[in-house]
Amino acid sequence: MIEFRDNDDGYLWWLERHPDGYVVNAHRRPIASYLVLPRAECPSITRLATNAKTWTHGQFIKVCSDKISDLDAWVCQVPGELSSCGMCRP
Ligand SMILES: [Zn+2]
């Protein structure tokens, strides 16, 4: 499991090498009501939203892993629960 904050280059590098992986999109200071889990190939986290200039330098961070179980463990510490991305439904 790897956490990307202020590191778009590292994040994009990871996505490219882990197409079957998973990502948690969370606030820089993670809050329980926003812990979204998309697949690594989901447009929601591979394309920048309108008006967004960065994936990891702004309001959000990305926590990445090949295994959902790792990310489950991470959100337990927030504490919170993953909510599956509605676009790719992991
Ligand atoms: Zn998705």
Side-chain angles (χ1 to χ4, degrees):
M1 194 201 75
I2 181 163
E3 182 178 316
F4 295 103
R5 64 173 71 206
D6 300 324
N7 185 2
D8 277 3
D9 289 347
Y11 173 60
L12 294 172
W13 182 92
W14 191 93
L15 287 182
E16 222 172 76
R17 281 155 187 80
H18 300 262
D20 298 324
Y22 300 92
V23 176
V24 179
N25 192 29
H27 284 260
R28 182 163 291 255
R29 297 179 121 196
I31 55 173
S33 58
Y34 193 89
L35 297 165
V36 180
L37 177 79
R39 299 174 191 274
E41 292 188 313
C42 181
S44 73
I45 46 105
T46 58
R47 292 185 208 153
L48 287 173
T50 314
N51 299 326
K53 293 189 174 64
T54 174
W55 285 274
T56 64
H57 291 262
Q59 186 183 0
F60 297 103
I61 59 168
K62 304 286 187 282
V63 183
C64 303
S65 177
D66 290 320
K67 289 186 274 176
I68 291 181
S69 56
D70 286 353
L71 300 173
D72 264 327
W74 184 81
V75 298
C76 276
Q77 295 176 358
V78 170
E81 284 179 26
L82 290 169
S83 47
S84 290
C85 172
M87 265 172 107
C88 59
R89 302 178 185 280

